[in-house]
Amino acid sequence: MILVDVTRQLSPTARSTIRRGSARARTERSDLHAVLDAGLICHLGLVVDGSPRVLPTGYGRRGDTLYVHGSTGARSLREAAAGAEVCVTVTHLDGIVYARSLFHHSVNYRSAVIHGRARGVVDADEKREALRVITEQLAPGSWAHARLPTRRELAATAVLALDLAEAAVKIRTGGPNDDAEDVAAGTAWSGVLPLERRWGTPQPAPDLPPDVEVPAHVRDRRWPA
Amino acid sequence: MILVDVTRQLSPTARSTIRRGSARARTERSDLHAVLDAGLICHLGLVVDGSPRVLPTGYGRRGDTLYVHGSTGARSLREAAAGAEVCVTVTHLDGIVYARSLFHHSVNYRSAVIHGRARGVVDADEKREALRVITEQLAPGSWAHARLPTRRELAATAVLALDLAEAAVKIRTGGPNDDAEDVAAGTAWSGVLPLERRWGTPQPAPDLPPDVEVPAHVRDRRWPA
């Protein structure tokens, strides 16, 4: 059961109010956090020279701030860091919904769409903390295990911060919504084919000495963490 | 080995020319097709009231035309159908690259970023064919198995067509690119943790008679097809 805490609910705006399939809309901040925390990459949308651009990249969340990772060499990220509007979308595809009719075919999914003006993170302490949460999202345990960034490496990394104030969460679960006539006719199979993800066998780098064991944070990694 | 056929190469433009990590850029049209054909959903980028918007949706490819699926009720899709610029991105995350340094942590992935002006598909025959390829992408076999769309259902479905003329493909494979000093120091594990996807056990709809068997196109579905 989801406890309703209105002070933690998402604030709908014109563009974050879900019009299509509103039965699938979620308004709890905890749903937003859960969708974001279960992901590995996001799709970052920007407007460059008036045209949309959608780039896959790493991210991490700390409280109600989303940090997005990039290179200082990428022009689109420099523009976003200068306060341009961005849209960050995280999507999990959970299964294919096979209905009796093609019209009712669908997918089970969880998605979060976040709107806002990004802020380039310049403070060294905040940037280090942002990289830590981005690392923990993509490779939990690595921050404590691998060599930490040098001052020069930190400078070569761009980080955007985005407030999680304006967001839309949609979640679809369950079976097909078939029309009654199609159920009665019974001409096709109906149900869900779940899509599962799992981690494969760790592949050590060729230049790693053979006696180095796979550390626990890699060996025992579970999906989605 | 990839055979080079210049007439089939991607035409680079200013925005589809990859500046960051260009060692990962691919210029073969066959690479673009392969990345698209291996996907299930895309992220559709649009500019709405000057702001970027990124929406996950289904798609399919026929030759060098990409079809994107939506609802006629969605304003963003109506604007795209009226000839607005769009950006469609398909990303496959294949593994996490654990380097000896956090700076060289990375991911193995395949991505395609397509730019262009979309066209709303209005011709009934083209729309039916577009929905067929979108269905075959998401649920191969369903077009032959399930009930076909009625005229009314076709009218309620919006389809965008996008030419695959301007696209950027990036593919990263292999292990970490560690600095020589980090390799010598040997302080951290280095390697790749592959991310695998597989189909789970089909879940029949509750209202399906128990004697209806799971059809072969669902039961025997393999990843990624």
Side-chain angles (χ1 to χ4, degrees):
Chain A
M1 196 184 92
I2 296 166
L3 295 171
V4 177
D5 175 357
V6 289
T7 63
R8 303 294 294 159
Q9 281 189 309
L10 304 174
S11 312
T13 62
R15 62 187 173 186
S16 73
T17 300
I18 293 166
R19 286 179 191 76
R20 305 300 312 166
S22 58
R24 299 171 188 170
R26 302 292 176 102
T27 55
E28 295 303 315
R29 192 151 286 277
S30 55
D31 288 320
L32 172 63
H33 291 176
V35 170
L36 294 176
D37 294 356
L40 293 165
I41 59 162
C42 65
H43 281 82
L44 169 66
L46 308 130
V47 181
V48 180
D49 296 333
S51 304
R53 193 165 296 189
V54 180
L55 303 168
T57 189
Y59 72 94
R61 180 181 74 84
R62 189 187 182 194
D64 281 318
T65 301
L66 193 80
Y67 290 110
V68 179
H69 172 265
S71 159
T72 49
R75 179 187 154 201
S76 50
L77 235 74
R78 285 199 304 272
E79 294 195 359
E85 280 197 285
V86 301
C87 177
V88 174
T89 299
V90 172
T91 308
H92 309 285
L93 185 62
D94 294 324
I96 308 293
V97 180
Y98 292 78
R100 283 143 171 119
S101 65
L102 289 160
F103 185 71
H104 285 299
H105 269 55
S106 186
V107 292
N108 281 338
Y109 68 100
R110 292 160 290 149
S111 73
V113 178
I114 301 144
H115 301 274
R117 287 188 188 277
R119 163 176 69 82
V121 176
V122 287
D123 177 82
D125 288 341
E126 187 186 7
K127 192 188 262 191
R128 193 174 287 105
E129 175 61 8
L131 288 175
R132 190 187 65 76
V133 301
I134 293 169
T135 299
E136 288 304 297
Q137 184 86 22
L138 213 52
S142 276
W143 192 264
H145 177 80
R147 176 175 67 68
L148 292 173
T150 63
R151 192 180 295 251
R152 195 164 140 248
E153 289 171 342
L154 271 183
T157 308
V159 176
L160 299 180
L162 179 63
D163 197 50
L164 293 179
E166 193 184 344
V169 177
K170 284 178 86 173
I171 299 175
R172 190 203 189 281
T173 60
N177 299 317
D178 276 310
D179 292 332
E181 310 88 79
D182 291 321
V183 176
T187 50
W189 188 78
S190 181
V192 174
L193 185 63
L195 176 55
E196 299 173 353
R197 291 166 196 81
R198 60 175 181 185
W199 298 108
T201 305
Q203 304 167 339
D207 57 6
L208 197 73
D211 60 333
V212 177
E213 280 186 30
V214 180
H217 69 282
V218 178
R219 187 191 63 218
D220 301 334
R221 186 168 186 180
R222 291 288 165 265
W223 184 265
Chain B
M1 197 184 92
I2 295 165
L3 296 170
V4 177
D5 173 359
V6 288
T7 63
R8 304 293 296 159
Q9 280 191 310
L10 303 174
S11 312
T13 62
R15 61 188 173 184
S16 71
T17 299
I18 293 165
R19 288 180 189 77
R20 306 300 314 165
S22 58
R24 298 171 188 169
R26 302 292 175 101
T27 55
E28 295 303 316
R29 192 151 287 274
S30 55
D31 288 320
L32 172 63
H33 291 175
V35 169
L36 293 177
D37 294 355
L40 293 166
I41 59 161
C42 67
H43 281 82
L44 169 67
L46 309 129
V47 181
V48 180
D49 296 334
S51 303
R53 192 164 297 187
V54 180
L55 303 169
T57 190
Y59 72 95
R61 180 181 74 84
R62 190 187 181 193
D64 281 321
T65 302
L66 193 79
Y67 290 110
V68 179
H69 172 263
S71 160
T72 48
R75 180 188 155 200
S76 50
L77 235 72
R78 284 198 305 271
E79 295 195 358
E85 281 197 285
V86 301
C87 177
V88 174
T89 299
V90 172
T91 308
H92 310 285
L93 185 61
D94 294 325
I96 308 293
V97 180
Y98 292 79
R100 283 143 171 119
S101 65
L102 289 160
F103 186 71
H104 285 298
H105 269 56
S106 187
V107 292
N108 282 338
Y109 68 101
R110 293 159 288 149
S111 72
V113 179
I114 301 142
H115 301 276
R117 286 188 188 279
R119 165 175 68 82
V121 176
V122 286
D123 179 81
D125 288 341
E126 187 186 5
K127 193 187 263 191
R128 194 174 284 106
E129 174 62 9
L131 288 175
R132 190 188 65 76
V133 302
I134 293 170
T135 299
E136 287 305 296
Q137 183 86 22
L138 211 53
S142 276
W143 193 263
H145 177 80
R147 176 175 66 69
L148 293 173
T150 63
R151 193 182 293 254
R152 196 164 139 247
E153 289 172 343
L154 273 182
T157 309
V159 176
L160 300 180
L162 180 63
D163 198 50
L164 293 178
E166 194 184 345
V169 176
K170 286 178 83 172
I171 299 175
R172 190 200 190 281
T173 59
N177 299 317
D178 276 309
D179 292 332
E181 311 88 77
D182 291 321
V183 176
T187 49
W189 188 78
S190 183
V192 174
L193 185 62
L195 177 55
E196 299 173 354
R197 289 165 198 82
R198 61 174 180 184
W199 298 108
T201 304
Q203 303 167 340
D207 57 8
L208 198 72
D211 60 334
V212 178
E213 280 186 30
V214 180
H217 69 282
V218 178
R219 187 192 62 218
D220 300 335
R221 186 170 185 178
R222 293 287 165 265
W223 184 266

